[in-house]
């Protein structure tokens, strides 16, 4: 089942009733001009079980603890945004799988060779998807990237990921001189940052559901990063975000700031169609297959992580 990504960018009262998210607008609730029946009719409701990601992007949003408890009970990822209206926080349940203690043990005890093999597979998938986006959007030859993809070694000891990234970002936006991918860089870095934040929440949520620790990575190991494994597993998925951003840039000339329309477009990322295991699937479902296969790799039941490709 595809879960909804629900976004709030205006003042709102959010509460829980009958296992539903109840949405009330403060301006309506406080007004003495509206009747109680009108206020009731203007109240919206969404079943909690339908929500996968909830984004809070306004300082005048109030939500109840009962609502938070129910959202986490249904493994919903709760994202909060900062004063610049960019995603800054992610709340996930501590218990998302009935056998997570056993899976934690397999994950923690994973051998170095296994981690290197898993990272090799991850880099191969990432470079392959980057090559697809580059060829599809610019027509540039990607033979160099395809060669790097074929020759990734265990642990990516030759650092093909970085070589491919340099070539990819240098050519992905031909109309922007000397574009550099940087969190604080010029647009469209702002759009990429926003899209990656949505993707990261999607992956982290799926990792928890698969009984894995999002903080214990196979390659990323920054001690200040609480989502090292999410950052590992999302790598082959990043090009899907890149393609969404490129399509968005074709539709709008001004990307200096992120508008509501931009955000609506980027919020479609979890529902993008991808190919995984030779079948078409929404990205959010594909991510769940990826994290489930990773758990099986840790337990010795599978040798390869299931990663998506483009349609």
């Amino acid at each position: 089942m595809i879960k909804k990504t629900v976004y709030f960018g205006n003042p709102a009262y959010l509460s829980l009733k009958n296992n539903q998210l109840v949405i009330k607008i403060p301006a309506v609730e406080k007004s003495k001009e509206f009747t109680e029946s009108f206020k009731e009719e203007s109240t919206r409701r969404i079943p909690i079980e339908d929500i996968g990601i909830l984004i809070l992007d306004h300082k005048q949003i109030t939500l109840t603890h009962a609502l938070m408890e129910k959202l986490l009970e249904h493994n919903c990822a709760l994202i909060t945004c900062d004063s610049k209206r960019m995603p800054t926080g992610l709340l996930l349940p501590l218990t998302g799988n009935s056998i997570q203690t056993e899976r934690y043990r397999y994950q923690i005890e994973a051998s170095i060779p296994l981690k290197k093999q898993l990272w090799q597979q991850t880099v191969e998938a990432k470079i392959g998807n980057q090559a697809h986006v580059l060829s599809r959007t610019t027509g540039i030859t990607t033979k160099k990237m395809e060669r790097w993809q074929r020759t990734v070694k265990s642990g990516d000891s030759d650092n093909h990921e970085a070589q491919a990234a340099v070539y990819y970002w240098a050519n992905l936006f031909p109309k922007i001189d000397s574009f550099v991918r940087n969190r604080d860089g010029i647009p469209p870095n702002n759009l990429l940052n926003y899209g990656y934040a949505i993707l990261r929440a999607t992956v982290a949520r799926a990792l928890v559901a698969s009984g894995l620790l999002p903080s214990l990575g196979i390659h990323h190991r920054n001690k200040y990063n609480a989502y090292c494994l999410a950052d590992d597993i999302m790598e082959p998925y990043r090009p899907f975000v890149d393609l969404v951003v490129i399509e968005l840039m074709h539709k709008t000339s001004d990307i200096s700031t992120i508008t509501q329309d931009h955000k609506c477009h980027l919020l479609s990322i979890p529902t993008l169609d991808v190919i995984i295991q030779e079948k078409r699937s929404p990205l959010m479902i594909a991510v769940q297959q990826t994290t489930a296969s990773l758990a099986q790799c840790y337990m010795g039941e599978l040798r390869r992580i299931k990663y998506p490709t483009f349609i």
Side-chain angles (χ1 to χ4, degrees):
M1 174 183 174
I2 305 176
K3 300 281 187 175
K4 293 180 178 177
T5 299
V6 182
Y7 171 85
F8 292 97
N10 295 303
Y13 293 148
L14 308 180
S15 60
L16 177 72
K17 187 175 183 180
N18 297 329
N19 285 328
Q20 291 187 323
L21 165 62
V22 179
I23 308 161
K24 296 183 178 180
I25 306 302
V28 174
E29 291 299 309
K30 292 179 180 178
S31 175
K32 296 180 180 179
E33 298 179 1
F34 300 124
T35 63
E36 290 302 317
S37 60
F38 177 84
K39 293 178 180 178
E40 180 60 24
E41 289 174 2
S42 65
T43 299
R44 293 189 58 197
R45 296 173 177 81
I46 304 174
I48 295 294
E49 62 183 6
D50 290 351
I51 304 173
I53 299 174
L54 184 71
I55 303 174
L56 307 175
D57 187 14
H58 199 285
K59 291 184 176 180
Q60 295 178 26
I61 294 173
T62 303
L63 70 163
T64 65
H65 190 274
L67 173 62
M68 294 173 62
E69 178 185 355
K70 188 60 69 174
L71 288 168
L72 293 176
E73 182 182 312
H74 284 77
N75 194 26
C76 173
L78 191 64
I79 298 176
T80 57
C81 297
D82 60 14
S83 298
K84 298 178 181 177
R85 313 202 74 169
M86 293 295 290
T88 186
L90 174 61
L91 183 63
L92 291 167
L94 287 175
T95 54
N97 187 287
S98 58
I99 56 170
Q100 69 178 36
T101 302
E102 180 185 58
R103 293 196 170 181
Y104 283 178
R105 181 166 56 80
Y106 280 111
Q107 183 182 358
I108 292 169
E109 294 176 352
S111 66
I112 298 296
L114 174 60
K115 291 180 181 178
K116 287 185 175 181
Q117 291 169 19
L118 296 176
W119 183 241
Q120 176 189 16
Q121 296 169 24
T122 302
V123 173
E124 288 172 350
K126 179 183 181 181
I127 295 176
N129 285 340
Q130 285 179 325
H132 176 92
V133 171
L134 192 59
S135 174
R136 179 168 164 176
T137 59
T138 69
I140 293 176
T141 179
T142 56
K143 290 184 178 179
K144 187 181 294 185
M145 296 188 70
E146 291 163 5
R147 187 179 71 250
W148 285 326
Q149 180 191 12
R150 289 194 303 271
T151 56
V152 176
K153 296 179 180 176
S154 178
D156 189 24
S157 55
D158 292 334
N159 205 8
H160 283 186
E161 185 206 13
Q163 296 175 56
V166 170
Y167 184 79
Y168 177 71
W169 291 115
N171 293 285
L172 190 61
F173 303 109
K175 295 182 180 179
I176 303 176
D177 291 334
S178 305
F179 176 80
V180 176
R181 167 62 194 145
N182 186 294
R183 184 173 181 80
D184 300 316
I186 62 172
N189 276 295
N190 53 351
L191 298 177
L192 293 169
N193 293 340
Y194 201 94
Y196 292 156
I198 302 298
L199 177 60
R200 194 189 207 197
T202 304
V203 173
R205 175 183 173 278
L207 287 170
V208 171
S210 295
L212 298 174
L213 274 171
S215 57
L216 188 59
I218 54 178
H219 177 76
H220 290 84
R221 54 177 64 90
N222 187 327
K223 66 179 181 180
Y224 302 108
N225 183 0
Y227 300 101
C228 287
L229 186 58
D231 290 344
D232 286 330
I233 300 305
M234 68 185 278
E235 292 291 359
Y237 284 89
R238 287 180 184 268
F240 291 92
V241 176
D242 303 340
L243 184 59
V244 170
V245 169
I246 291 170
E247 291 172 347
L248 187 56
M249 292 170 67
H250 289 160
K251 294 180 179 178
T252 179
S253 57
D254 184 6
I255 57 170
S256 57
T257 57
I258 301 181
T259 66
Q260 291 292 92
D261 287 343
H262 295 155
K263 290 179 181 178
C264 288
H265 198 88
L266 293 168
L267 291 176
S268 69
I269 288 169
T271 63
L272 293 174
D273 277 344
V274 305
I275 296 293
I276 188 164
Q277 293 296 98
E278 301 181 350
K279 294 181 180 177
R280 182 189 292 253
S281 170
L283 184 143
M284 177 179 279
I285 304 298
V287 168
Q288 292 170 7
Q289 292 185 47
T290 297
T291 58
S293 67
L294 174 62
Q296 289 180 286
C297 289
Y298 281 136
M299 292 187 291
E301 298 174 354
L302 208 62
R303 296 180 63 86
R304 293 194 67 84
I305 308 175
K306 298 175 183 176
Y307 277 127
T309 57
F310 283 87
I311 293 175

